[in-house]
Structure formats: C-alpha cells, structure tokens
Amino acid sequence: MPELSPTGSPKPLVPFLAPAPLAPFFNNTTPKLSGNCSLNFTAVDDLMTTTAVDCFASFAPFLANVICCPQLQATLTILIGQSSKQTGSLALDPTVANFCLSDIQQLLLSQGASDNLHSICSVHLSNVTEGSCPVSSVDAFESVIDSSKLLEACRKVDPVNECCSRTCQNAINEASQKISFKDGGLTSYTSSPKVDSCRNVVLRWLSSRLDPSSAKQMLRQISNCNVNEVCPLSFPDTSKVAKECSGTVKNGTSCCKSMDSYVSHLQKQSFITNLQALGCGKVLGEKLQKMNVSMNVYSSCQITLKDFSLQVGSQESGCLLPSMPSDASFDPSSGISFTCDLNDNIAAPWPSSLQASSSSCNKSAAVNIPERPAATSAQNGVNHNRLELSLLISLGTLLAAILLQV
C-alpha cells in the first residue's frame, strides 16, 4: 500500500482487477485532516497501512467480523496508548474525539479502506473516550494497579492456550474491576458498561507499554478468543427445510434440494473461521432438530464446514479463515490476498447429546479433523505440511462472485 504522511500526497494505488487488465484506478486524494486531533499517527504508520488493507474497500463487510473490525479496534486502542506517552491520558476528550475518528477514517480511506468503517464496525465515541470509567490518566491508573503484574501477564500472549487459560484476559478483567471502584461506587458486575469502559482504558495502558507490533498481537489474540466463540451468521426461517427433512424422509433428493437452497443464503454473508463454522453448524443443526429433523442432513446432503462461509471464484468454493488472527495483504502483482484453511472439506458435524461443548477449548473433541497428507513443492523441494493456503483473490474476482449471488 502507498505510504502516507498527514501532509503529503499518497503514491498511486493501483488495484489489479481480474480476469483481464483494466484501466488502473489511481487513488490520489490527500486526506482532509481536522488539525484538532493530537494522536500520533506517525508512530503507527505500519499499523494504519495494515488496517487499510484489512478493511480494503468492498472487502470490508465480508472480512468485518474476523479481520477488519478486530484490526480497526486494535488500531484505535494502540493509537491512544502510544499517544499517552506524550499526553499522559488514556482517553480522548469528548470534544476532540469526533475530530480524531474523522481523521482516522480519512487516513484509512486515502489508503484504500472502505468509506463506511464506522458503520461496519460500530465505532462510537466510547471506543476512544473514557466512557463511564473513573480513571483515564496514566498516573491515576498506575497508582491503583499493580502494573508490573498486569504487564507480565499480557506481554507475551500464548496464541494456543490463552483462550482456555485466559491468563492475560483474567489480568485485564481484574484490573478493569479494580479501577472501576476508584470513585467509591458500588461493585460493578464484569460486563457492566462501567467495567467495559475501564477495560478499554486497561487495554490502552498495555498498548502504551508495548511496541505497536507487539500490542497488535496481544490485542488481536485476546479478541480472537471472543470471535471464535460466536457464530456471526444470520439464520433465515428453517420451516421449508423442516417440511422436507423432518420425520421419516421419503424423498432424499427433495430434502437435500431444500437444504442446499437454505445453505446458499448463508453463503452470501461473510467469511468466517473454521471454529466459527463448527459453531454455525451446531446452531443450524439444533434449530433443525427442534423442528423434528432427526436425520443427519449434513452427511446425507454432503454439507461441509466450508459451506457456511462466503463462496468465491468460478467454482464457488468456500473459504474458511484460520482460527488464529490473520491479516489480508496487498501485492501489486496479485492484488488482495488472505489465508484460507485447507482443512475445511470435512463434513459439518451433526449435533448430538454426546457431543462435547462447542467451546474453543473443546473443538478438537467436537469433531475429528483428519490430517492432510504433506505435499512437496516441485520447484523448491520444501515439505508443506501446513493446513493453510494463501488464497489470492483479486478485487474483481470477489466482486464478480458476490454479484452473481445477489
């Protein structure tokens, strides 16, 4: 992506559209900054570029839940955290917050990001101000919290075990609760607006004590635990499927046709992770079971995990994003790319009373994921046993696929 300073003009941004080269589009607008925001954008240049790519134009709504919005929120947190080194404040004053949100939008837009991020990612003033938290200055924060203990818990977040051990998350919650009592108010419950506001303050303080890259890793890891726990899809009414597939199924073809039609609506929504796909399969399966569908329609109708994700390309193939945090990338020769998990061709698991909890700590127990045989590259002899593929999807290809589905 083009590098950009607040006062300079960006270099041309040339997306490569598929399948044939088209006239290049140059994004040569200079962002119109307010001049009223004290955030240090220069300190997070690389982070802003990553965010612009993750939220690139028309991709943003389809990568919003897993990539774009978590990255945007991390960027806002780190911007305030890094700026607190000069300002001493872990929150923006409400009088300048709108100016800063506008400046951030303008800077990202000038690098190719969507012009509707505030709506897509539900960005509000509370994302950058103190909200209802009684502590917002660095000095006040450090007078209440055992900062060395908090930093030790979150300096290096274990990417494999954090979602289950919650080492960093528990430390953050403890600190959030503690500073929420600073005004002598009543005890707040964990998910109260007051504690949530204080949690934002804690995350900003942590981001001020780590370099931007490390802070981003920490924030994306802990937010990813929540992302993988929830199926983000909206499920239409299942009565037509239940009508064809409930009780003793006499016409399997009619049942599967109805099931395929239903799943096609899910495939127009967004990219999801492999763990989210497991959760979505469980949600839909339980909905059907409540409507007297006892047959394993996933197996009978060959419904796989990737059928719950957005379908792209001429083959209308589903792409499941990895459960670990990832970013999109931009390359002038290939366009926008992001990583798909190759381990997504397995059948969606049909819910049963004996099935383990769908918690991310128990995903391996919920479905037996077969190991993919290692492949060898003919060009460099490298043994590839990772279950991932860098799927290069240009803007034109994705938009064409989406338009065909509308």
Side-chain angles (χ1 to χ4, degrees), residues 46 56 110 125 152 162 165:
D46 291 343
F56 192 83
S110 71
L125 284 179
E152 180 61 29
E162 172 61 28
S165 68

Side-chain angles (χ1 to χ4, degrees), residues 377-395:
S377 169
Q379 292 182 336
N380 54 25
V382 176
N383 187 23
H384 295 282
N385 54 12
R386 294 181 63 197
L387 302 180
E388 295 179 349
L389 169 68
S390 181
L391 179 66
L392 301 178
I393 302 178
S394 71
L395 180 60

Side-chain angles (χ1 to χ4, degrees), residues 83-130:
S83 295
S84 71
K85 296 176 181 179
Q86 288 79 44
T87 65
S89 177
L90 295 167
L92 294 181
D93 188 287
T95 59
V96 301
N98 276 322
F99 291 116
C100 290
L101 288 176
S102 176
D103 286 355
I104 292 167
Q105 174 73 68
Q106 289 296 317
L107 286 165
L108 293 175
L109 181 62
S110 71
Q111 297 189 65
S114 168
D115 60 359
N116 196 31
L117 288 184
H118 288 182
S119 175
I120 293 171
C121 297
S122 300
V123 177
H124 306 290
L125 284 179
S126 58
N127 293 104
V128 293
T129 62
E130 65 185 22

Side-chain angles (χ1 to χ4, degrees), residues 12-238:
L13 167 62
V14 188
F16 282 71
L17 306 180
L22 301 177
F25 170 76
F26 290 92
N27 183 349
N28 56 5
T29 59
T30 301
K32 299 177 181 179
L33 303 184
S34 66
N36 296 314
C37 180
S38 60
L39 292 177
N40 185 2
F41 295 111
T42 306
V44 293
D45 276 345
D46 291 343
L47 191 68
M48 293 290 284
T49 298
T50 299
T51 306
V53 176
D54 283 349
C55 300
F56 192 83
S58 299
F59 280 76
F62 305 102
L63 294 174
N65 178 262
V66 179
I67 295 179
C68 172
C69 295
Q71 176 62 22
L72 177 60
Q73 182 56 57
T75 300
L76 295 175
T77 300
I78 295 168
L79 264 170
I80 299 174
Q82 292 293 312
S83 295
S84 71
K85 296 176 181 179
Q86 288 79 44
T87 65
S89 177
L90 295 167
L92 294 181
D93 188 287
T95 59
V96 301
N98 276 322
F99 291 116
C100 290
L101 288 176
S102 176
D103 286 355
I104 292 167
Q105 174 73 68
Q106 289 296 317
L107 286 165
L108 293 175
L109 181 62
S110 71
Q111 297 189 65
S114 168
D115 60 359
N116 196 31
L117 288 184
H118 288 182
S119 175
I120 293 171
C121 297
S122 300
V123 177
H124 306 290
L125 284 179
S126 58
N127 293 104
V128 293
T129 62
E130 65 185 22
S132 55
C133 186
V135 173
S136 62
S137 73
V138 174
D139 289 341
F141 182 91
E142 294 180 349
S143 70
V144 177
I145 299 301
D146 184 344
S147 54
S148 60
K149 177 183 175 183
L150 174 60
L151 187 58
E152 180 61 29
C154 296
R155 186 187 299 276
K156 291 185 179 180
V157 175
D158 188 326
V160 176
N161 298 316
E162 172 61 28
C163 293
C164 299
S165 68
R166 298 183 62 84
T167 301
C168 177
Q169 294 169 87
N170 287 339
I172 290 170
N173 291 337
E174 181 183 340
S176 304
Q177 288 270 4
K178 196 166 185 177
I179 63 174
S180 71
F181 303 152
K182 186 73 164 73
D183 60 354
L186 297 175
T187 302
S188 302
Y189 52 91
T190 303
S191 58
S192 70
K194 186 175 183 181
V195 173
D196 285 345
S197 293
C198 288
R199 187 175 187 273
N200 289 336
V201 171
V202 174
L203 293 176
R204 293 166 197 161
W205 181 87
L206 281 168
S207 298
S208 74
R209 293 299 179 266
L210 300 171
D211 64 85
S213 177
S214 299
K216 176 209 162 182
Q217 284 187 320
M218 179 268 295
L219 293 169
R220 291 290 302 275
Q221 289 287 0
I222 61 177
S223 70
N224 215 53
C225 295
N226 297 324
V227 166
N228 283 319
E229 286 294 320
V230 179
C231 172
L233 302 182
S234 175
F235 292 90
D237 181 61
T238 55

Side-chain angles (χ1 to χ4, degrees), residues 230-251:
V230 179
C231 172
L233 302 182
S234 175
F235 292 90
D237 181 61
T238 55
S239 57
K240 290 185 178 180
V241 177
K243 179 181 178 181
E244 299 294 338
C245 303
S246 62
T248 302
V249 180
K250 297 180 180 180
N251 190 336

